[in-house]
Amino acid sequence: MTDGYSEKVMEHFANPRNVGEIKDADGIGKVGNPVCGDVMWIYIKVKDDRLEDVKFKTFGCGAAIATSSMITEMAKGKTLEEALKISRGNVADALDGLPPIKMHCSNLAADGLHAAIKDYLEKSGKKMELPKIETAEEHG
Amino acid sequence: MDHSATTAANPAVTEAMLPYFSENFGNPSSLYSIGRQARRAIEEARQKVADLIGAKKEEIIFTGSGTESDNLAIKGIAYKNRKKGDHIITSSIEHHAVLHVCKYLESQGFKVTYLPVNKDGIVNPADVEKAITSQTILITIMHANNEIGTLQPLEDIGKIAREKNIPFHTDAVQTAGKLPLDVEALGVSLLSMSAHKMYGPKGVGALYLRKGIFIEPLFHGGGHERNLRSGTENVPGIVGFGKAAELAKQRFPEEAKLADLRDRLIKGVLEIKDSYLNGHPTKRLPNNANFRFSYIEGESMILNLDMKGVSASTGSACSSTSLEPSHVLMAIGLKPEEAHGSLRLTLGLGNTQDDVDYVVSVLPEIVNKLRMISPLGR
Ligand code: FES
């Protein structure tokens, strides 16, 4: 069953980091997977343009849970600008790759983080150059 | 606990097959004595497979798989009766080996009615009767569903088919060798089975074809299997199938006892909050339990179970290669997110009460952990 997943994916899946919600979050990214119907929520806490805390909740497969866990780890402590540069591909790479059929799950994690930052920018009235959100089609 | 996908060949089966890989190997169509031995072995196996389902030896055609048996039955009847009519009746929860054949036949100009099922996954015989037209040439309804285990009322459908004189096929891949079957009582005219679901070898199946029912072959060639399936026989496979069928018959009481374990499993698992049973509580395979848990996804459940040494399967979109939820779970009226949380556990003869209790003890933790991670259902 675990054949297609790297050890790193399984490790994050078995011990996901930063699970939960942030009560007074500064931004929340709620994204859904158009492919299979999964749901991912990313919460962020921002201080001095830095992601002080990142948490997630995910309803999805093993890859979806592992990528959510991974992205929270990658994003924590980064400036907003840096965090926005984390791409869909970066998350999969950090997990030593994902089976091709599971790439869309890692897309969801990156999109969730970006959506949370966007939500924060909107709420706080700050302006920032947002990366163009790739569509699922572009990445298959 | 994932014994429905396949079962490992019984050592006695492998032993029976071995000689036919080497010294007894001969082309059964040849005139030499070694060929005659192979021929005799095939005929003995045919008798054993026939005995398993209350058929006559001449009514068994060996094929390469359960899928091939389904193809041969459905296309065979369709092509043979093209001039008589073009309408086929089936159900919406059939195995892909039936559904995809029906879809293919639609592309060839046939018309197919896909009957709905109720929330337990049962076809209403009255719906079958209503669907019959003057053009109907075949009814094909599976015996037991591979995912949710539901058993169909074949006797009632068989009666209707007989009255209307329409050939009735059933895909019995899940039940042949597991439950005592009698083709007379079921009223079927064609029945598909597969060896590897009854502790036999892979690569061999059989089709029961009632005397007096005619089909068009799919393979043309040397005229093997009464001209219905040309191609040199897979002697070791067929011999193994015969042995598996013989052993399966002796195991029926044991198989039936699995229902007690199944019910223990169902009772234990349903203690979990927001968990449900998919399929009928009692009209189901003795070894099948299929659940769904709200707010969580099946693949992540089976990964967690796997880490605890339990194998299982799910009808979740996430674990299918098409990324679509199981058509069976959709047909019983579940929403995609409900199908997401489905979990199938199937018991094998090696399973004990301890195994069941173990699953019942580890599952709540897993469900809780995943619900903690899930944004739904708070
Ligand atoms: S979330 Fe559905 S396949 Fe990953």
Side-chain angles (χ1 to χ4, degrees), chain A residues 1-2 5 10 13-16 19-21 35-41 43 56-63 65 101-102 104, chain B residues 295-297 299-304 306-307 312 317-323 337 340-341 369-376 378:
Chain A
M1 179 57 231
T2 56
Y5 288 138
M10 285 311 293
F13 171 72
N15 311 294
V19 175
E21 26 191 306
V35 184
C36 60
D38 299 289
V39 184
M40 198 179 286
W41 293 5
Y43 302 79
F56 81 93
K57 287 220 143 183
T58 291
F59 165 60
C61 72
I65 291 174
I101 196 166
K102 296 292 185 179
H104 66 101
Chain B
Y295 322 128
I296 56 177
E297 190 279 326
E299 191 213 77
S300 50
M301 259 188 282
I302 53 180
L303 286 172
N304 271 299
D306 189 70
M307 292 191 278
C318 296
S319 82
S320 85
T321 46
S322 62
L323 292 173
E337 60 269 28
H340 246 73
K369 177 181 166 193
L370 292 172
R371 281 184 178 159
M372 294 274 291
I373 302 178
S374 172
L376 309 182
R378 297 161 317 141

Side-chain angles (χ1 to χ4, degrees), chain B residues 9-248:
Chain B
N10 184 308
V13 169
T14 324
E15 205 176 302
M17 293 166 71
L18 272 179
Y20 295 91
F21 283 109
S22 49
E23 79 250 36
N24 274 11
F25 188 83
N27 187 331
S29 296
S30 91
L31 292 173
Y32 303 106
S33 75
I34 201 158
R36 281 209 300 276
Q37 267 179 45
R39 160 80 30 227
R40 201 178 312 130
I42 291 176
E43 294 316 312
E44 277 170 27
R46 200 185 302 282
Q47 185 66 55
K48 286 172 186 167
V49 172
D51 288 347
L52 188 65
I53 57 169
K56 292 187 208 76
K57 181 166 148 285
E58 311 74 59
E59 295 175 317
I60 301 295
I61 303 162
F62 285 115
T63 66
S65 61
T67 297
E68 188 192 325
S69 301
D70 284 336
N71 272 267
L72 179 58
I74 301 169
K75 290 179 193 162
I77 288 281
Y79 291 151
K80 191 82 191 176
N81 294 287
R82 207 166 216 164
K83 291 205 185 79
K84 254 198 226 156
D86 62 359
H87 180 232
I88 295 167
I89 299 171
T90 187
S91 85
S92 49
I93 66 164
E94 297 297 309
H95 190 271
H96 285 142
V98 169
L99 279 185
H100 290 174
V101 175
C102 289
K103 286 266 177 295
Y104 166 75
L105 286 175
E106 279 185 291
S107 78
Q108 301 299 304
F110 288 90
K111 296 184 182 66
V112 181
T113 301
Y114 300 90
L115 294 175
V117 292
N118 69 10
K119 68 170 201 346
D120 293 326
I122 297 178
V123 174
N124 184 348
D127 288 346
V128 177
E129 188 152 23
K130 265 185 257 154
I132 294 173
T133 72
S134 61
Q135 294 300 303
T136 308
I137 50 173
L138 174 69
I139 299 168
T140 173
I141 306 279
M142 72 195 328
H143 190 197
N145 185 270
N146 47 310
E147 288 180 47
I148 57 173
T150 303
L151 293 162
Q152 300 298 341
L154 291 195
E155 290 91 343
D156 298 339
I157 299 169
K159 231 176 260 156
I160 296 166
R162 241 179 217 172
E163 267 164 33
K164 308 265 179 179
N165 208 10
I166 298 168
F168 176 28
H169 166 250
T170 191
D171 174 343
V173 165
Q174 290 293 329
T175 48
K178 294 263 171 64
L179 306 178
L181 295 188
D182 178 51
V183 287
E184 283 309 320
L186 294 175
V188 295
S189 18
L190 304 99
L191 180 148
S192 300
M193 42 192 152
S194 166
H196 79 97
K197 302 277 178 172
M198 53 176 99
Y199 304 92
K202 293 188 180 63
V204 56
L207 177 67
Y208 157 75
L209 177 66
R210 181 183 290 274
K211 194 162 175 274
I213 302 282
F214 300 98
I215 57 172
E216 214 37 52
L218 301 180
F219 302 165
H220 301 83
H224 307 78
E225 298 296 292
R226 291 191 292 124
N227 228 348
L228 293 173
R229 206 267 187 181
S230 284
T232 301
E233 295 89 339
N234 167 9
V235 184
I238 289 170
V239 168
F241 193 176
K243 188 71 190 171
E246 180 189 337
L247 294 172

